[in-house]
Every structure is written in C-alpha cells, then in structure tokens.
Amino acid sequence: MNQTSTEAIPSVSVVVPCYNAAATIEDCMRSVQAQTRNDWELIVVDDGSHDNSRTVVLDLAQRDPRIRLHAQANAGPAAARNCGVGLARGGIVAFLDSDDRWDADHLALATAMLAADPALGVAFARCRILSDNGLPTGQRTRAWTNGVAIADILAGNPTATCSSLVVRKAVFETVGGMRDDMVHAEDQEWLFRVVRNGWRLQSHNKATVGYRTSTGGLSANVERMFSGWRTFVQHARTLEPEMVARELPRARAAMHLYFARRMIRDGRFGVRPIAHVAQAVCAAPRVLLTSPAAVFTIACAAVTGTVAPTVTHSIVMSIGKMRHA
C-alpha cells in the first residue's frame, strides 16, 4: 500500500523501518511531527508486520499528508531502509527506528551541519540511552565532533544507531545502500564504505536521539552481533586489506570490551563478560597500557556483579568509559 502526497517536494525524507512496532511507532512518528524544521516527508516502511502497526501509521497519515506508508513482505531492516531511500524525494535522508524518538531540534541541527560543509556526507547526533520501557538510563553516547576515521569504524559504530543518521542522498548514489544480507553491523559496514569513498562523518555535541535498548535474549544477541561484526570485517578486508590487517587487533580488542560492557550494563555477570575481557587482552595486549582502568573495571564488575549486582551496576554506569560508542 502506498500513499502519495500533493505537497511540494520536501527537503528531508525521514525513513522509518517498522516491524511489529505498534507499541512504539506512534511516539516515534510524533517526535518527527514535533520537529522545528517541518519541510519533511515521513516514509514508514512496514516490513511485514503482523500486529496493528499499519493501522497506527495510517491513522496518523490520514491527518498529516506528509506521512506515507509503504508495506512489503518481511525482508529485514536493511532492506526496509534501502526501500525507503528509493522512495525518498528529499535531497537529505534521515533514519529513525520505530522504537526510538528525536528531540524537536534533531533535524535542524543535523541539516545545518550538512549545509555548512559540502564534504560532510553524514551528520549524526549523540544519543540518550533509554530502557525497554522508554525511560532514560542516564547514559549517553560520546560525541565525535572532530570527525570519524575509517579505522574508528572498524573498532565500533561511532553513531551507535541508525536513528542518529542524517545523510545526503548523494551518498547513496556514491556507495549504494546497506547490505540486506547482513542483520547485525550492516550500518557499520555501510559507514565504512561511506568514509572510504571520501565522505566525512561527524557528530554535533548535543544528544537529540532517544535510543531504546532491549535486554531480551542478551547472550544470544551478543553472539549474533559479534558474528555480524566478523562478517563486516570480511567485507572491509576486501576493500582495505592493509589497513584492516594493521588495525584489526586493536579493533578486535575494542569490540570484546564493548560486548563485555554491554553484558554488565544489562545485568549479566560472571564467566561470559570475563571471557570477552580476556580475549580483548589476547587480541591486543597493549590495551592493558592504553585502557587499564577500563579493563580493570570491567573485569572487577564481571566478578563482583554476581555478589552485589545493584551496586556494581551503579558504579559501572557512572564511569564514562562504560558508555556506548
């Protein structure tokens, strides 16, 4: 099902992939409607939902001609985003996941950055981490106001989530879309290609994205995320073999520490996060010299958390190095 608008061609196309998001999609869409910059269209790509997500979207679309719904068979989030980009009429594309939300100035700040720097391909924001039920956790992602190097992307996703990305449509013409054969790290792989092709990637300092994280099935998710990262590395190696060979030990250590932090943050202590810390040290022993506080804190938290989880969680979350990205 498609709905078309008789409005003038928008400057910004907001793409929202949606799959069984009836509980959160309205809040997500209303955060777009609340933007201080209002020359946008909102394209919701329903990726084969079997709840009433489409009904919620259509209810808002009937009252706002800037909203369009496109329904397709389930093909995954990357394919849904690529579909939305193909439908976009604006010269700028902004992504927002259906369980996340923006502050009112999100689009205005990001598009101002793009307007000021023709070489900037992707502007992104810091994120406030939300709990399953949408409440702030007090955590925020770090800023990358000096830009992101290609080696930084190998070692993690500086943008944290697609919901923070505001992109020139010309970038997609240069590098193509996200790989729809990847379920995890597909945005990381895409960003790698973006920077490799000469586009700059940079954030502003304000947290304008509410990024909801889920703790459900965490162990399985971490393993799938790590598998996705390894697939990304394989693709990156075909493009930049020398750089990947040089940077991979540091990147592998960083990813192991990230997964250990993530487990601890969500209340999973003991053997599994300790194993990730050990693998980080084995991958790049210099991590003991460059990030001793992080290694020590994560290892201690993984052990003491089994005895005093609440206290350990509070301490870990108060340390800047335990934050996302």
Side-chain angles (χ1 to χ4, degrees):
M1 176 183 297
N2 289 283
Q3 290 188 345
T4 58
S5 171
T6 58
E7 298 280 324
I9 294 177
S11 298
V12 182
S13 296
V14 181
V15 174
V16 176
C18 175
Y19 177 71
N20 291 343
T24 59
I25 186 66
E26 181 174 354
D27 186 40
C28 165
M29 295 170 66
R30 289 197 182 280
S31 78
V32 178
Q33 291 180 307
Q35 292 300 297
T36 57
R37 177 165 185 166
N38 59 17
D39 56 336
W40 49 260
E41 65 175 347
L42 172 55
I43 304 168
V44 178
V45 180
D46 185 85
D47 192 41
S49 294
H50 47 78
D51 64 359
N52 66 333
S53 294
R54 298 181 197 177
T55 301
V56 177
V57 173
L58 285 173
D59 182 58
L60 282 178
Q62 288 173 357
R63 290 172 278 160
D64 191 335
R66 296 172 297 177
I67 298 173
R68 292 192 282 157
L69 172 67
H70 174 85
Q72 64 179 30
N74 181 258
R81 293 189 187 102
N82 291 341
C83 175
V85 172
L87 295 170
R89 296 179 294 159
I92 295 172
V93 176
F95 293 113
L96 178 59
D97 287 347
S98 57
D99 58 349
D100 296 336
R101 58 179 180 256
W102 290 338
D103 288 358
D105 56 352
H106 176 74
L107 285 181
L109 289 172
T111 55
M113 289 179 65
L114 293 174
D117 184 354
L120 184 63
V122 181
F124 65 101
R126 298 178 67 189
C127 303
R128 296 185 308 280
I129 310 302
L130 308 179
S131 64
D132 285 349
N133 57 7
L135 297 177
T137 64
Q139 304 168 64
R140 297 191 177 197
T141 60
R142 62 169 285 190
W144 293 80
T145 53
N146 292 324
V148 178
I150 195 169
D152 295 324
I153 300 171
L154 192 70
N157 185 350
T159 70
T161 171
C162 285
S163 294
S164 69
L165 303 180
V166 181
V167 187
R168 295 185 195 276
K169 198 171 184 183
V171 171
F172 297 99
E173 297 167 359
T174 303
V175 306
M178 297 183 185
R179 295 187 65 104
D180 58 14
D181 59 346
M182 295 178 64
V183 177
H184 294 288
E186 75 281 358
D187 50 345
Q188 200 171 343
E189 191 276 337
W190 181 77
L191 291 168
F192 186 91
R193 283 185 279 129
V194 169
V195 175
R196 181 179 181 271
N197 277 272
W199 291 102
R200 292 187 58 246
L201 173 64
Q202 183 178 339
S203 77
H204 55 75
N205 194 43
K206 188 173 181 181
T208 60
V209 177
Y211 172 34
R212 193 188 305 252
T213 60
S214 173
T215 59
L218 181 64
S219 292
N221 283 342
V222 166
E223 292 308 315
R224 286 197 294 268
M225 290 168 64
F226 204 13
S227 176
W229 178 77
R230 288 193 292 264
T231 299
F232 154 53
V233 170
Q234 292 173 3
H235 292 310
R237 186 179 282 116
T238 66
L239 299 173
E240 294 287 344
E242 293 183 5
M243 187 279 290
V244 171
R246 182 177 66 251
E247 298 290 340
L248 188 55
R250 181 181 72 87
R252 183 176 286 115
M255 293 302 296
H256 277 298
L257 289 179
Y258 167 73
F259 290 129
R261 291 198 302 268
R262 176 153 183 160
M263 286 183 167
I264 293 167
R265 185 202 70 206
D266 292 308
R268 298 189 66 92
F269 308 103
V271 174
R272 295 184 68 82
I274 290 175
H276 277 294
V277 174
Q279 290 178 80
V281 174
C282 290
R286 284 181 58 84
V287 74
L288 291 172
L289 299 176
T290 57
S291 303
V295 174
F296 178 76
T297 303
I298 295 169
C300 289
V303 175
T304 62
T306 59
V307 179
T310 302
V311 174
T312 300
H313 185 274
S314 298
I315 294 173
V316 167
M317 290 303 100
S318 69
I319 299 175
K321 286 187 178 293
M322 306 308 291
R323 295 176 182 176
H324 277 62

